[in-house]
Each structure stands twice: as C-alpha cells, then as structure tokens.
C-alpha cells in the first residue's frame, strides 16, 4: 500500500524562510533605518526573491508589524529572564532591568526609533507597543513587590524614569548619523545606566528602609 508523502520537510523549509525574511527585515531597519526600508532590500538581505517576501507578508505594513512584534517579544522575554536570575535585592532587580534594556536598545537605535516613534501613527502597531509596556511594567512590579516594595507611587516613578528616559535617549540617537551624539558630553549608555540604577534604587530604598 502506497504511503502518503510527508509535508514536514516542505513545512520546515517554509518556516525557515519566514524566519530568515523576518530576521532580514529587522537587520535592514537596524542598519539603514525605516526611511530606507523596502521589500527589495529585505529580499536581498534574506537572499530570496521579492516575490518570496510578498509570499510571506502581503504588504510592507504586515512585515513591519511582524518586525515590531518580534523585537518587542524578544526584549520582554529577555527582561523576564534577567529578572528571574537577579539576586533577591531591590538593587539587583533594578540593575538587571536597566542593564537589559540598555544592552538591547543601544546598538539598535534605528530599529527602536522606528518601533517607538514611526509606528505611533498606526493603531495596530501602537497597540502592540502599549501591550509591551504593560508586560515589562508588570514584570518589574511583580519583582519589587516580592521584595517588600509596596509604595505604588515609588514603583510607578521608577518605571517611568527608567523606561521613558532610555526610550528618549534611543530615539534621539536613532535619528542621528552613525557615531553622532546629540550634544557634547552626552553620557555613554553604560554611564547613564549606572546613574539610572543608583538614582532609582535610592527612590525605592527611601520607601522600604
């Protein structure tokens, strides 16, 4: 009796192609910025035909949503993992949070400038961004409350200072030419992260000591 040929090899190749296209799209925005993002550029980077890209994503907007969704999912997952590994102190939690955001955002400034600015005019992209903020805020709140930090105002202030200040910095850098700075003396990502950890840790200590 003849057996039906399996579709698994084809399905595997199809998934691999989709992953390669999405990774290429992320790389194009990271390297060139949203202004030079085209389906042709993605096809070249992914080493597939333009038709192959459209076979996976019907239009540019669909691919850009997938880029934002993947980048934010990866960042949220990384934050969750680093917080789970942090030693059981407020300072360790804040350091893990700030360090993970800093290491991810800086070096991919053009990507995150697109994610947090250029996608703001699209309702679906904007909604995905709000969901991301809720996810990473909840992760921080859960860790801090487990350590006895119950002051909602201090937690909210800590979150806003960390996230909004880092996003403003990455957005500023994402709109500049490579290796340019907004102004002379602009703190390096590591220096700024260190100051941010110190400042927000003091806010939290003030309500727990």
């Amino acid at each position: 009796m003849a057996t039906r040929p399996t579709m698994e090899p084809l399905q595997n190749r199809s998934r691999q192609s989709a992953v390669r296209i999405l990774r290429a799209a992320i790389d194009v925005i990271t390297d060139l910025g949203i202004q030079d993002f085209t389906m042709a550029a993605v096809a070249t980077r992914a080493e597939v035909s333009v038709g192959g890209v459209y076979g996976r994503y019907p239009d540019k907007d669909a691919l850009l949503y997938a880029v934002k969704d993947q980048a934010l999912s990866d960042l949220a997952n990384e934050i969750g993992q680093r917080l789970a590994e942090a030693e059981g102190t407020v300072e360790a939690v804040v350091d893990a949070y700030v360090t993970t955001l800093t290491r991810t955002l800086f070096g991919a400034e053009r990507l995150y400038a697109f994610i947090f600015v250029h996608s703001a005019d699209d309702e679906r992209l904007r909604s995905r961004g709000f969901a991301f903020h809720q996810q990473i805020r909840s992760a921080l709140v859960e860790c801090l409350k487990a350590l006895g930090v119950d002051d909602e105002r201090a937690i909210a202030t800590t979150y806003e200072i960390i996230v909004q200040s880092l996003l403003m910095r990455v957005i500023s850098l994402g709109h500049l030419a490579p290796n340019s700075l907004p102004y002379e003396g602009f703190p390096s990502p590591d220096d700024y992260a260190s100051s941010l950890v110190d400042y927000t840790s003091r806010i939290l200590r003030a309500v727990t000591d």
Side-chain angles (χ1 to χ4, degrees):
M1 179 178 178
T3 58
R4 184 177 181 179
T6 178
M7 295 298 292
E8 189 61 26
L10 179 59
Q11 291 170 348
N12 281 338
R13 289 196 297 272
S14 179
R15 282 194 293 267
Q16 291 168 3
S17 176
V19 169
R20 189 165 66 252
I21 290 168
L22 181 55
R23 184 69 255 172
I26 292 172
D27 289 345
V28 168
I29 298 180
T30 300
D31 294 344
L32 304 179
I34 189 62
Q35 69 278 1
D36 293 321
F37 180 87
T38 65
M39 300 295 257
V42 173
T44 298
R45 187 72 64 100
E47 298 182 338
V48 300
S49 67
V50 174
V53 176
Y54 280 106
R56 290 292 162 202
Y57 300 94
D59 53 39
K60 184 176 176 179
D61 288 342
L63 181 51
L64 288 176
Y65 180 83
V67 166
K68 181 168 187 172
D69 183 60
Q70 186 65 56
L72 294 183
S73 295
D74 288 347
L75 178 51
N77 290 339
E78 183 70 11
I79 288 171
Q81 181 179 340
R82 297 308 172 198
L83 287 177
E85 295 171 352
E87 297 177 5
T89 67
V90 168
E91 289 79 4
V93 165
V94 172
D95 183 73
Y97 199 74
V98 171
T99 299
T100 303
L101 281 165
T102 297
R103 290 179 177 174
T104 303
L105 297 176
F106 299 96
E109 294 92 347
R110 290 177 174 178
L111 172 64
Y112 288 99
F114 152 70
I115 287 175
F116 293 112
V117 176
H118 295 285
S119 62
D121 294 331
D122 183 290
E123 183 177 353
R124 188 172 180 228
L125 288 170
R126 188 167 60 249
S127 295
R128 180 63 183 89
F130 288 151
F132 166 76
H133 279 288
Q134 184 59 48
Q135 184 178 1
I136 67 168
R137 185 183 187 280
S138 296
L140 179 63
V141 170
E142 181 179 342
C143 286
L144 291 176
K145 288 196 171 184
L147 294 171
V149 182
D150 295 318
D151 190 302
E152 297 286 351
R153 183 176 180 181
I155 293 174
T157 299
T158 296
Y159 175 79
E160 291 296 325
I161 290 173
I162 292 172
V163 174
Q164 297 304 330
S165 67
L166 288 176
L167 292 188
M168 287 304 297
R169 284 172 58 83
V170 81
I171 288 167
S172 295
L173 292 173
H175 288 86
L176 297 176
N179 301 316
S180 299
L181 295 176
Y183 56 83
E184 186 177 353
F186 189 75
S188 71
D190 287 343
D191 286 345
Y192 188 80
S194 179
S195 297
L196 200 53
V197 170
D198 180 64
Y199 183 71
T200 53
S201 293
R202 283 191 280 118
I203 291 174
L204 296 170
R205 282 198 302 269
V207 298
T208 56
D209 289 344

